[in-house]
C-alpha cells in the first residue's frame, strides 16, 4: 500500500503574468520604418446619451467594426468620472476625449502621438464650430451635420491638421458656402 | 421645387419619435421616399435627399442604396451636389467597395478643376479614402499640385501625398523633391503639410532620412522663428505661436537626430531654447514642452539637456492639470530605466500622485513607484505602497500586490520585514494575491528559522481575528500545524507571547474547518494542521483523533481521503506518526514545471493555480510511507528476529535535487523471514539527467518481536552508471 500525499493535480505550469494595460508605457522609442497606420484613426462626437452626432474614420474599417468601436468608445468615455484625466487606453490606441456642454469629442490615436496636442486639436475644432455657428450647441450639429463635416474637412485631412490658422479655415468655409448658395440660387431661378 | 432645408424637417420628425419602434417606422418611410427620389430624373433635390440619407446612416441604419447616388452626384457639374456627393462617398464608401472605383475618374477631373473649392473636395476625398489603385493612378497629379498651385491647394496636396505614401510606400520617391522645396514656404498650412509629409517619407526610407538630415539647419531656423517671434494673432494659442507646427517640427527633428551625432548637435541649442522659453501654464505650451522632452530623450543630447528634460517632467508632476501630471508619468516611465537617478529625484512627487483622485494617474504612479524601488528606499517606499494598497481601486489591487511582493523579494532588508510585509498584504488584500503567494510565503517562513515563534504568533492572532481571507488562513493553518508547539510554550522573544491552551488552538483550526467561508483547499490545510498538532501537543490528542475520524465521512472527497489516511496513521501506523509528522526541513525554492505524482519531490511543488489544489499539503508528501524494505537493511552483524514486518520511510532530509526523479516500484513482499532466510526487494528507479552525485538516506521502521524499531541507513555511493 503506497501512501503518497501529492496533490491530485497533473503537471503544474507557472501562472502567466497578466500583462497590465500599463505596459503600453514601456514601449521603447522604436524606429518606425514599418509604421503603416494613420496617426489619428477616428474622430467621434456623441451625446451624453451615447447618440452619435458625427463620425470621421481615417482608415478603412468594415461597418460592423465601426459600430463596435463606437459602442466601446461611448461606453468607456461616458463611464468616466467628471474630473478625470482626458486620456485613456484602448487596445493599442490612445483615446483622447473632452466634453463640451452636452457633447463628447473623442479621438483615437496611435500610441506614439502627443495627447496634449490632440486635446488642442479637439479644442480648435470646437472653436471653429463656435465661430461658424455662433455659440454652437448640440442642436446646431444635429441639424447642420453636413456643415460640421465641411468645417472638419477644412481643418483635418487624412487624420492630420491641414490648416493651423483659425482665420484661414473660417474664410475657406465661408467661401465654399458662398459658392454653394450661388449655385443653389442659380438652380432655383426659372430657366428662360 | 422644395426650397430650404427639407432635411431639417425630416430630422425634426425623427427626433419626435417617442420610441425606437416609432423611429424605425419613420426612417423606413423616409428611406422609401428617398429611394423613389433617387430613381427619378434630376429634379434638383438629389443633394437634399442624399443629405437626409446620410443623417439616417449616422443613426445607425443601413444606407448602402445611396452609394451609387454619391457617384452620380460627384460627377455632377454643380458644386452643391458635388459637395454632398463627396461627403457621401467619404461616409458610405470605402476602398473595399466596388463603387469607390467609379469615382476615380471624377476625382481625376476635379483635381484640375478651375475652382479651387472643387479641387479641394477631390483632394480631401482622395486623402481620406483613396485606395492603393487610385493612389497610383493619381500620384503624378498630386505631385504636380505640390509644385504649382496656390497655398490653399498645396497644403491639401501635401497631406494627400501623405495618404498616398501610407498606401503605396514606393511612391514616396516621387514626392521627395517637391517636399524639399516646400520647406521654404512661408504659409503655415503648407509648411505644416510639408513637415508631415517629410516625416512620413523619412520614417519609411532610410535613404530619404539621410537626405533630409541636410535640412536640419533650415528646420531649426523655422522653429527659432516660431519660438522667438512676437505675437502673431493668426496662429497664436495661449501665447504659443502655432503649437501644431512647432510640435511637428520637433518630431521631425527627433527622427532626423536619432542615432546621429551631427544632427543631434545641431539641435541641442534649439531644444534648450524651446525648453526655457515656452510657457507651460496652458495645454498648448505643455504640448510643445512635452514634445521637446520626448525629442531630447530620443536623440543624442548632452547630459545637461537630459537633466533639463527630466526636470521639466518633474515640474509637470506638480502641475494642477491632471492631464499634464499623467503625461509626465508616462514619459518618466519610458526613461526610468535609462535615467534612473534623474527620475529618483522626483520620487516624492510621484509617490504623492498615488493619492490622486484619478484612476489613470494612480495607475501610472503605481507603475513608476514600483520601478523606482531600490535597496536604499525600500522601507519608506513600501510604507507608501502598503498605504496605497489599503485604499487602491479594485482593478489595481492584483497588480499592486504582485508588485509589492516582487519588490519585497528583491530588496527585503531583513527576513522579519519581509514576512511582516507579506502578512500585511495578505491582511489588507489577501483576496487579490496570486496563487503562488501561499507556497512562496511558506517557503520564506521555513527559511527564517529564528522567526518561527514570531511568525506563528502573528499568524495565530490574525487567524482568530478573521478567517475570511483564504490565502492568509491557509498560511496561518500551515504555520500553526507546523509550529504549534512554539505557540503553546507561552514565550517569544520577538513579540508578545499568547497564553493559549491546546484547546484554544484546536478551536481555531476547527472553526476554519467548519466555516462555510473556507474553501475546500483551506479546509485541507486546516485538517492537515490539526493532524500535525497531534505530535506537538500532549493533552488533547483524543480530540484530534475524533476530528479526524469525523471527517472520514466528509462529503468532500479530498478531505475524506485525507481524514481516512490520517485515521489509518492513528490506528495502524501510530508508531510512525511522529516521524511522518515531524518538523519540515527548510524548503528550496523550486523551479516550475516539476512533475509530481510518481516522483519524490523534495521541494515545493508549484501548484496549478486552481483554488482546489492550493495544497501545501505536499510538504507532508515528502514523507512516503512504504510497506517495503530495502535490501540493504540486513547489515552484517545484525540479525533480525523472526517475522519482521518491515516498513521503509523515505525521508527527505536529503531531498533529491530538483532534476532528479524517483520512482518506487511495488515491493516484492512485506515480511522478511528470520535468520536471513529470505529477502524482499524493491526497485527504485532514479532519473538523473544532470548527472548530479547522489546520496540517499533511508529510514526503516519495523516491528520486530512486537517492538517498534527504527533504523537509518545512508547510501553514499551509488553504482557508477547512476551518475
Amino acid at each position: 500500500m503506497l501512501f503518497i500525499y501529492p496533490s491530485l493535480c497533473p503537471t503544474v505550469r507557472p501562472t502567466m503574468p497578466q500583462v497590465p494595460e500599463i505596459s503600453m508605457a514601456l514601449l521603447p522609442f522604436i524606429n518606425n520604418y514599418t509604421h503603416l497606420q494613420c496617426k489619428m484613426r477616428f474622430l467621434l462626437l456623441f451625446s451624453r446619451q451615447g447618440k452619435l452626432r458625427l463620425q470621421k474614420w481615417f482608415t478603412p474599417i468594415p461597418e460592423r467594426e465601426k459600430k463596435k468601436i463606437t459602442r466601446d468608445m461611448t461606453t468607456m468615455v461616458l463611464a468616466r468620472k467628471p474630473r478625470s484625466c482626458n486620456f485613456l487606453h484602448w487596445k493599442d490606441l490612445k483615446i483622447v476625449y473632452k466634453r463640451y456642454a452636452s457633447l463628447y469629442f473623442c479621438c483615437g490615436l496611435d500610441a506614439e502621438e502627443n495627447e496634449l496636442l490632440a486635446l488642442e486639436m479637439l479644442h480648435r475644432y470646437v472653436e471653429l464650430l463656435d465661430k461658424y455657428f455662433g455659440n454652437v450647441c448640440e442642436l446646431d450639429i444635429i441639424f447642420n451635420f453636413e456643415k460640421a463635416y465641411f468645417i472638419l474637412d477644412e481643418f483635418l485631412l487624412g487624420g492630420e491638421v491641414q490648416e493651423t490658422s483659425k482665420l484661414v479655415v473660417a474664410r475657406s468655409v465661408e467661401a465654399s458656402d458662398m459658392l454653394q448658395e450661388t449655385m443653389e440660387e442659380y438652380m432655383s431661378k426659372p430657366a428662360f | 421645387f422644395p426650397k430650404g432645408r427639407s432635411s431639417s424637417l425630416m430630422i425634426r420628425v425623427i427626433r419626435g419619435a417617442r420610441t425606437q419602434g416609432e423611429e424605425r417606422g419613420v426612417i423606413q418611410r423616409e428611406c422609401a421616399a428617398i429611394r423613389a427620389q433617387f430613381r427619378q430624373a434630376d429634379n434638383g433635390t438629389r443633394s437634399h435627399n442624399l443629405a437626409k440619407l446620410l443623417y439616417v446612416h449616422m443613426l445607425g441604419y443601413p444606407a448602402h442604396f445611396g452609394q451609387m447616388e454619391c457617384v452620380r452626384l460627384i460627377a455632377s457639374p454643380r458644386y452643391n451636389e458635388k459637395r454632398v456627393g463627396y461627403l457621401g462617398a467619404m461616409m458610405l464608401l470605402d476602398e473595399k467597395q466596388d463603387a469607390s472605383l467609379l469615382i476615380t475618374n471624377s476625382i481625376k477631373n476635379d483635381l484640375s478643376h478651375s475652382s479651387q473649392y472643387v479641387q479641394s473636395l477631390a483632394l480631401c476625398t482622395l486623402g481620406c479614402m483613396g485606395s492603393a489603385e487610385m493612389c497610383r493612378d493619381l500620384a503624378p497629379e498630386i505631385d504636380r499640385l505640390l509644385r504649382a498651385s496656390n497655398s490653399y491647394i498645396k497644403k491639401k496636396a501635401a497631406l494627400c501625398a501623405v495618404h498616398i505614401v501610407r498606401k503605396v510606400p514606393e511612391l514616396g520617391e516621387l514626392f521627395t523633391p517637391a517636399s524639399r522645396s516646400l520647406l521654404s514656404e512661408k504659409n503655415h498650412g503648407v509648411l505644416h503639410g510639408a513637415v508631415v509629409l517629410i516625416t512620413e517619407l523619412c520614417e519609411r526610407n532610410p535613404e530619404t532620412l539621410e537626405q533630409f538630415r541636410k535640412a536640419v539647419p533650415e528646420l531649426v531656423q523655422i522653429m527659432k522663428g516660431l519660438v522667438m517671434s512676437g505675437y502673431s494673432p493668426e496662429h497664436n494659442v495661449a501665447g504659443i505661436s502655432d503649437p501644431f507646427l512647432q510640435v511637428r517640427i520637433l518630431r521631425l527633428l527627433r527622427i532626423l537626430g536619432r542615432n546621429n551625432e551631427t544632427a543631434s548637435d545641431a539641435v541641442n541649442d534649439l531644444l534648450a531654447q524651446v525648453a526655457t522659453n515656452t510657457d507651460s501654464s496652458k495645454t498648448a505650451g505643455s504640448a510643445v514642452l512635452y514634445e521637446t522632452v520626448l525629442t531630447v530623450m530620443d536623440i543624442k543630447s548632452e547630459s545637461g539637456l537630459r537633466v533639463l528634460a527630466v526636470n521639466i517632467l518633474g515640474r509637470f508632476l506638480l502641475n494642477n492639470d491632471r492631464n499634464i501630471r499623467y503625461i509626465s508619468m508616462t514619459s518618466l516611465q519610458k526613461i526610468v530605466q535609462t535615467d534612473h537617478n534623474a527620475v529618483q529625484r522626483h520620487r516624492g512627487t510621484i509617490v504623492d500622485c498615488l493619492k490622486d483622485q484619478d484612476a489613470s494617474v494612480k495607475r501610472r504612479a503605481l507603475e513608476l513607484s514600483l520601478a523606482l524601488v531600490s535597496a536604499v528606499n525600500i522601507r519608506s517606499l513600501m510604507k507608501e505602497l502598503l498605504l496605497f494598497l489599503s485604499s487602491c481601486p479594485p482593478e489595481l489591487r492584483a497588480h499592486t500586490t504582485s508588485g509589492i511582493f516582487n519588490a519585497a523579494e528583491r530588496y527585503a532588508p531583513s527576513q522579519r520585514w519581509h514576512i511582516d510585509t507579506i502578512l500585511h498584504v495578505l491582511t489588507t488584500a489577501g483576496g487579490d494575491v496570486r496563487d503562488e503567494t501561499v507556497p512562496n510565503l511558506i517557503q520564506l517562513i521555513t527559511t527564517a528559522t529564528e522567526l518561527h515563534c514570531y511568525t506563528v504568533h502573528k499568524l495565530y492572532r490574525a487567524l482568530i481575528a478573521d478567517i475570511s481571507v483564504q490565502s492568509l488562513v491557509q498560511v496561518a493553518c500551515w504555520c500553526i500545524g507546523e509550529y504549534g508547539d512554539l505557540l503553546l510554550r507561552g514565550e517569544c522573544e520577538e513579540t508578545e507571547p499568547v497564553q493559549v491552551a491546546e484547546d484554544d488552538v484546536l478551536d481555531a483550526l476547527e472553526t476554519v474547518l467548519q466555516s462555510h467561508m473556507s474553501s475546500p483547499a483551506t479546509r485541507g490545510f486546516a485538517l492537515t494542521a490539526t493532524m500535525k498538532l497531534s505530535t506537538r501537543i500532549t493533552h488533547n490528542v483524543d480530540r484530534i483523533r475524533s476530528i479526524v475520524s469525523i471527517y472520514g465521512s466528509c462529503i468532500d472527497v479530498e478531505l475524506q481521503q485525507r481524514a481516512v489516511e490520517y485515521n489509518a496513521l492513528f490506528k495502524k501506523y501510530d508508531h510512525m506518526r511522529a516521524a511522518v509528522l515531524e518538523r519540515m526541513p527548510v524548503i528550496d525554492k523550486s523551479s516550475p514545471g516539476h512533475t509530481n505524482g510518481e516522483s519524490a519531490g523534495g521541494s515545493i511543488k508549484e501548484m496549478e493555480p486552481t483554488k482546489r489544489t492550493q495544497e501545501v499539503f505536499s510538504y507532508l508528501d515528502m514523507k512516503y510511507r512504504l510497506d517495503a524494505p530495502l535490501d540493504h537493511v540486513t547489515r552484517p552483524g545484525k540479525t533480525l528476529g523472526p517475522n519482521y514486518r518491515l516498513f521503509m520511510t523515505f525521508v527527505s532530509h536529503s531531498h533529491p535535487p530538483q532534476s532528479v526523479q524517483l520512482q518506487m516500484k511495488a515491493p516484492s513482499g512485506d515480511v522478511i523471514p528470520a535468520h536471513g532466510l529470505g529477502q524482499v526487494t524493491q526497485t527504485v528507479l532514479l532519473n538523473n539527467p544532470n548527472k548530479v552525485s547522489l546520496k540517499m538516506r533511508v529510514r526503516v521502521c519495523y516491528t520486530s518481536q512486537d517492538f517498534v524499531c527504527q533504523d537509518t541507513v545512508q547510501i553514499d555511493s551509488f553504482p557508477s552508471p547512476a551518475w
Side-chain angles (χ1 to χ4, degrees), chain A residues 1-15 17 20-22 25-27 29-39 51-58 60-61 63 66-67 80 83-87 89 94 112-117 119-121 124 139 142-147 149-150 153-155 157-158 160-168 172-173 175-177 179-180 183-184 187-188, chain B residues 1 5 8 11-12 15 23 44 51 54-55 57-58 60 78-81 83 87 90-91 94-96 115 117 120 124 127-128 152 155-156 159 166-167 188-189 192 196 200 202-204 206 209 234-235 237 242-244 247-248 251 258 283-284 286-287 290-291 294 298 322-323 326-327 333-334 358 360 363-364 367 399 436 558 565 572-573 592-593 595-596 606-609 613 617-618 621 624-627:
Chain A
M1 185 173 48
L2 206 67
F3 269 47
I4 299 179
Y5 297 92
S7 57
L8 303 171
C9 63
T11 314
V12 167
R13 287 166 305 281
T15 1
E21 167 239 83
I22 206 153
L26 301 174
L27 282 177
F29 291 99
I30 45 179
N31 227 332
N32 272 336
Y33 287 133
T34 54
H35 197 69
L36 291 168
Q37 285 281 24
C38 181
K39 303 291 191 329
K51 283 215 119 104
L52 198 59
R53 298 301 178 204
L54 186 144
Q55 51 173 333
K56 190 80 184 179
W57 301 89
F58 299 109
I61 296 178
E63 197 67 41
K66 283 183 193 171
K67 289 213 166 93
R80 295 286 276 180
R83 273 188 304 276
S84 306
C85 150
N86 293 91
F87 311 133
H89 273 286
K94 287 183 181 168
E112 303 295 301
E113 287 305 289
N114 183 326
E115 299 99 310
L116 294 174
L117 196 70
L119 267 183
E120 280 300 308
M121 186 267 302
R124 174 58 64 90
L139 278 180
I142 294 171
F143 282 95
N144 300 282
F145 65 94
E146 320 97 88
K147 291 289 160 66
Y149 275 103
F150 296 150
D153 287 340
E154 286 296 329
F155 175 48
L157 202 160
E160 304 280 353
V161 169
Q162 76 176 264
E163 179 55 65
T164 57
S165 158
K166 274 190 279 193
L167 198 59
V168 174
S172 314
V173 177
S176 314
D177 279 353
L179 193 55
Q180 174 160 340
M183 184 55 66
E184 280 174 343
M187 280 170 61
S188 70
Chain B
F1 72 89
R5 301 284 318 282
S8 310
I11 294 172
R12 229 181 291 270
R15 283 170 63 79
E23 182 182 280
L54 294 179
Y55 182 81
H57 174 251
M58 188 145 55
R78 301 171 190 146
Y79 178 70
N80 57 333
E81 290 182 345
R83 216 181 181 194
L87 178 63
M90 286 191 276
M91 284 177 72
D94 62 42
E95 58 179 49
K96 301 205 169 68
S115 162
Y117 299 107
S120 161
C124 191
C128 173
Y152 180 71
K155 74 187 185 201
K156 292 174 192 263
L159 292 180
R166 284 178 183 154
K167 280 279 180 231
H188 280 225
H192 186 276
V196 174
E200 195 71 33
C202 291
E203 275 180 333
R204 282 163 197 285
L209 178 67
E234 206 181 324
H235 298 107
V237 181
D242 206 339
F244 299 103
V247 166
R248 290 317 301 239
R251 193 172 307 170
R258 224 178 245 160
T283 311
S286 301
Y290 175 43
E291 196 72 33
L294 293 180
D298 204 22
R322 185 164 280 132
N323 294 325
Y326 177 90
I327 290 301
Q333 186 76 49
K334 286 183 188 152
D358 183 84
S360 310
R363 187 185 284 267
R364 298 286 161 198
E367 202 61 39
H399 191 64
E436 316 66 281
E558 176 67 30
E565 288 170 355
K572 276 170 72 182
Y573 304 106
T595 55
N596 56 24
E606 290 285 295
M607 295 299 163
E608 197 166 45
T613 56
F617 209 17
S618 63
D621 309 354
Y624 293 103
R625 192 180 56 79
L626 303 157
D627 291 357

Side-chain angles (χ1 to χ4, degrees), chain A residues 97-124:
Chain A
Y97 74 93
K98 186 127 192 222
R99 186 174 144 207
Y100 290 91
S102 62
L103 271 182
Y104 285 90
F105 287 65
C106 169
C107 62
L109 309 168
D110 256 4
E112 303 295 301
E113 287 305 289
N114 183 326
E115 299 99 310
L116 294 174
L117 196 70
L119 267 183
E120 280 300 308
M121 186 267 302
L122 291 177
H123 191 75
R124 174 58 64 90

Side-chain angles (χ1 to χ4, degrees), chain B residues 104 109 141 148 191 198 208 215 221 541 547 588 633 655 662:
Chain B
T104 314
N109 291 334
E141 191 58 26
L191 211 44
I198 293 170
T208 316
Q221 276 309 111
V541 185
I547 293 174
D588 282 339
V633 82
H655 41 269
L662 195 101

Side-chain angles (χ1 to χ4, degrees), chain B residues 338-402:
Chain B
T338 50
D339 297 75
H340 190 89
N341 292 331
V343 180
Q344 278 281 7
R345 267 181 238 130
H346 302 279
R347 192 178 71 245
T349 330
I350 292 168
V351 164
D352 281 340
C353 288
L354 284 171
K355 302 184 189 100
D356 197 293
Q357 296 297 328
D358 183 84
S360 310
V361 171
K362 270 194 170 74
R363 187 185 284 267
R364 298 286 161 198
L366 171 66
E367 202 61 39
L368 258 179
S369 302
L370 290 174
L372 288 174
V373 175
S374 72
V376 173
N377 60 36
I378 179 72
R379 282 186 193 270
S380 52
L381 198 43
M382 189 56 82
K383 279 205 191 78
E384 297 288 347
L385 288 170
L386 290 173
L387 196 60
F388 173 68
L389 183 62
S390 53
S391 60
C392 90
E395 64 271 11
L396 287 179
R397 284 163 83 97
H399 191 64
T400 312
T401 57
S402 64

Side-chain angles (χ1 to χ4, degrees), chain B residues 456-468:
Chain B
V456 72
H457 273 82
K458 270 204 97 152
L459 281 165
Y460 177 75
R461 288 199 170 94
L463 187 67
I464 53 177
D466 175 20
I467 60 167
S468 61

Side-chain angles (χ1 to χ4, degrees), chain B residues 456-648:
Chain B
V456 72
H457 273 82
K458 270 204 97 152
L459 281 165
Y460 177 75
R461 288 199 170 94
L463 187 67
I464 53 177
D466 175 20
I467 60 167
S468 61
V469 181
Q470 299 307 295
S471 47
L472 190 57
V473 171
Q474 286 170 10
V475 180
C477 288
W478 187 88
C479 262
I480 291 172
E482 190 69 6
Y483 308 120
D485 48 321
L486 300 176
L487 197 59
L488 293 165
R489 258 208 316 239
E491 52 188 44
C492 182
E493 275 175 13
E494 305 261 356
T495 184
E496 184 76 31
V498 287
Q499 305 299 334
V500 284
E502 291 176 2
D503 268 325
D504 300 321
V505 179
L506 288 173
D507 280 345
L509 290 175
E510 248 195 304
T511 314
V512 174
L513 258 177
Q514 289 165 359
S515 166
H516 52 262
M517 283 196 282
S518 300
S519 72
T522 308
R523 295 170 83 198
F525 273 85
L527 187 62
T528 305
T530 309
M531 185 62 190
K532 281 165 145 185
L533 281 179
S534 71
T535 56
R536 290 157 175 76
I537 63 174
T538 44
H539 305 303
N540 259 322
V541 185
D542 280 335
R543 182 174 167 184
I544 296 179
R545 251 188 260 268
S546 67
I547 293 174
V548 160
S549 134
I550 290 170
Y551 277 86
S553 34
C554 175
I555 199 163
D556 182 314
V557 169
E558 176 67 30
L559 277 181
Q560 193 194 103
Q561 177 175 346
R562 289 183 196 218
V564 163
E565 288 170 355
Y566 292 153
N567 237 344
L569 202 54
F570 267 126
K571 301 218 156 70
K572 276 170 72 182
Y573 304 106
D574 199 42
H575 50 280
M576 299 185 53
R577 188 161 47 87
V580 172
L581 298 175
E582 70 176 20
R583 189 80 99 229
M584 291 280 177
V586 172
I587 301 166
D588 282 339
K589 249 196 138 54
S590 75
S591 57
H594 182 75
T595 55
N596 56 24
E598 281 150 40
S599 58
S603 323
I604 302 173
K605 295 180 176 52
E606 290 285 295
M607 295 299 163
E608 197 166 45
T610 61
K611 290 291 175 197
R612 181 118 179 70
T613 56
Q614 271 185 40
E615 312 218 45
V616 180
F617 209 17
S618 63
Y619 303 129
L620 197 61
D621 309 354
M622 292 188 272
K623 300 171 175 102
Y624 293 103
R625 192 180 56 79
L626 303 157
D627 291 357
L630 204 61
D631 3 33
H632 292 80
V633 82
T634 44
R635 290 186 299 190
K638 197 166 180 161
T639 50
L640 302 175
N643 294 327
Y644 297 102
R645 297 211 61 149
L646 233 53
F647 303 94
M648 195 212 52

Side-chain angles (χ1 to χ4, degrees), chain B residues 140-181:
Chain B
E141 191 58 26
I142 303 299
D143 186 50
R144 189 185 66 82
L145 290 172
L146 270 181
R147 298 164 192 278
S149 57
N150 60 29
S151 49
Y152 180 71
I153 294 299
K154 268 189 190 158
K155 74 187 185 201
K156 292 174 192 263
L159 292 180
C160 210
V162 170
H163 175 85
I164 291 175
V165 171
R166 284 178 183 154
K167 280 279 180 231
V168 188
E170 308 87 71
L171 286 171
E173 277 179 43
L174 174 63
F175 297 119
T176 307
S179 54
R180 182 71 182 80
S181 41

